[in-house]
Amino acid sequence: MTTRWIKNFILITLLSGIGASFASAQEVQVTGPLAGAPACKGCRIFRESRLSIEPFAGFTLQDEFSRTIMFGGKLGFAFTDWIGLGLWGAFAPVHIDTALTDQVSKRGQSTSRNRLSLPNAGDFKKQIGEINWAAGLEVNFIPLRGKLALFQKLFLDTDFSVFAGVALVGITERANVNENGGTVCLASGAVELDENDPCRQSQRQRASRTAVAPTFGVQLTMYASEFMGLTLGWRALPFSWNTSGTDEGGRDENGNLGGGDFPDGRIDSEDRIFHFNHMFTAGLIFFLPVEAARSE
C-alpha cells in the first residue's frame, strides 16, 4: 500500500510539472486597452537621423613583440535606429615592447645560421614591425537595446552594435634584405658582427607600407544623456605582416616562391605571416542634434 502511494505521488508530481511547463510556454494574449500597443511609448530614439562623433583610445591585444596604443575618432550617421555608416581613423604614437622582445634583446644569440634574422640581439627592438595608423569605412548594425543597471540604483539606456567594413593600416617593417645576392648581407664571415657589417646595418633599415584588411567587431554604448554616452568596443584587423623582422621562408633551392623552408636567405614579402590583430577601445560619443526623438 505504501509503495503504491509513493508511485502515485511521483506520477502526480511529474504530470503537474509538465502541465506547468506547457502553460508557461503558451502565448500570452493581451486584451483590453493594451491590445496592439507597442512595447514602449515615448521612448528615446537615440540614433535615427543623427550624426555621431566619437573620440576614442585603444590598445592592441595579444601582441608578440610590440603593443600599440592608438588615439582616434569615428564619425557616424544612422539612417534608422538600427543601421548606419561609420568612418573612423586612428594614429599610434606609443609602442610598448612586450616581455618577449625584452628577453630576445637580453638573451638572444646570433649564430652563423641566424645572422640574417638576428644580426645583433641588442638591436632586435629596431627590426620588429609596428602599426602606425589605421582608417576605415564600416556598416553599423544595432540589434539589441535596453537598460543597464549599475549598483541597482543607476539605470542607463544601452545598445549593443555589430560593425564590419574595410580598413587601411599603415605599418613599418624591416626593409627587404637579400643575403644571397652578396650586395646587402653576406652569409659568410664571422658570427660577431661589427657596426659596419651589412647584416648589422640592415637590422636598422625600415620600410613603410599600407595594408588593406577587413575590419569587424562589437561595441557597447551606454547613454549618460540624450546627446552623450560612453563606448566600450572590440575591433579586429586581420592581415599578414612580418612582426619579428626575421627570415621566415619563401624560396626553394631553385628560386621558386612559396616552396622554400626556413631560412631562404631573404627578408621580403614572403616572410609575412597572417596575424589576427585585434584591439580594445574606449571612448565618448556625442550626437547631433542634441535632442533625441521620441517614439509614439
Side-chain angles (χ1 to χ4, degrees):
M1 185 68 179
T2 303
T3 304
R4 180 180 299 177
W5 183 87
I6 294 175
K7 291 181 179 179
N8 291 337
F9 176 77
I10 295 175
L11 180 61
I12 293 172
T13 302
L14 291 175
L15 291 176
S16 299
I18 294 174
S21 299
F22 178 76
S24 62
Q26 288 182 327
E27 182 180 358
V28 178
Q29 299 293 335
V30 179
T31 60
L34 295 179
C40 179
K41 298 187 67 174
C43 294
R44 295 184 181 93
I45 302 177
F46 284 99
R47 292 183 178 268
E48 184 175 352
S49 300
R50 300 181 81 187
L51 183 71
S52 61
I53 303 171
E54 180 187 346
F56 66 83
F59 56 88
T60 53
L61 304 170
Q62 295 183 329
D63 301 282
E64 291 180 295
F65 303 103
S66 177
R67 177 155 291 112
T68 303
I69 309 297
M70 304 190 78
F71 301 92
K74 180 177 177 180
L75 184 67
F77 181 80
F79 304 103
T80 70
D81 208 35
W82 55 272
I83 193 167
L85 290 176
L87 180 66
W88 65 277
F91 68 99
V94 181
H95 300 89
I96 302 174
D97 295 330
T98 65
L100 177 58
T101 298
D102 293 336
Q103 290 297 318
V104 173
S105 298
K106 294 178 181 179
R107 304 182 182 183
Q109 296 183 351
S110 299
T111 68
S112 59
R113 296 177 62 89
N114 75 343
R115 65 194 300 268
L116 174 62
S117 293
L118 189 65
N120 179 270
D123 285 338
F124 177 71
K125 297 180 179 181
K126 299 178 181 180
Q127 73 180 55
I128 59 178
E130 295 179 341
I131 296 176
N132 298 319
W133 59 269
L137 177 67
E138 61 198 25
V139 177
N140 298 304
F141 175 62
I142 305 93
L144 299 175
R145 178 182 169 184
K147 287 186 177 293
L148 183 66
L150 300 178
F151 309 108
Q152 298 299 318
K153 292 184 178 180
L154 180 62
F155 295 89
L156 300 176
D157 286 297
T158 307
D159 64 37
F160 176 82
S161 59
V162 181
F163 56 84
V166 63
L168 300 177
V169 185
I171 58 177
T172 301
E173 299 167 300
R174 185 179 176 184
N176 291 353
V177 181
N178 185 352
E179 182 181 61
N180 294 332
T183 58
V184 177
C185 179
L186 297 176
S188 60
V191 174
E192 296 294 333
L193 307 178
D194 58 35
E195 289 288 338
N196 297 322
D197 186 274
C199 280
R200 184 81 177 267
Q201 292 180 358
S202 73
Q203 193 176 22
R204 309 185 190 103
Q205 294 176 359
R206 312 285 285 170
S208 299
R209 69 181 179 93
T210 301
V212 180
T215 182
F216 53 89
V218 296
Q219 181 169 289
L220 182 68
T221 303
M222 296 169 285
Y223 298 91
S225 66
E226 293 188 5
F227 67 93
M228 185 182 70
L230 172 68
T231 63
L232 300 174
W234 169 84
R235 177 183 295 277
L237 291 162
F239 61 90
S240 297
W241 58 316
N242 191 351
T243 58
S244 61
T246 55
D247 184 5
E248 300 296 331
R251 297 176 184 264
D252 59 19
E253 62 275 7
N254 298 319
N256 298 318
L257 288 174
D261 296 327
F262 175 84
D264 72 340
R266 295 174 174 85
I267 293 179
D268 52 25
S269 60
E270 294 299 313
D271 297 310
R272 298 168 186 166
I273 298 176
F274 178 82
H275 289 81
F276 191 81
N277 312 286
H278 56 125
M279 61 186 298
F280 172 82
T281 62
L284 296 174
I285 188 167
F286 303 91
F287 291 92
L288 296 173
V290 295
E291 292 185 3
R294 302 271 182 167
S295 64
E296 296 181 358

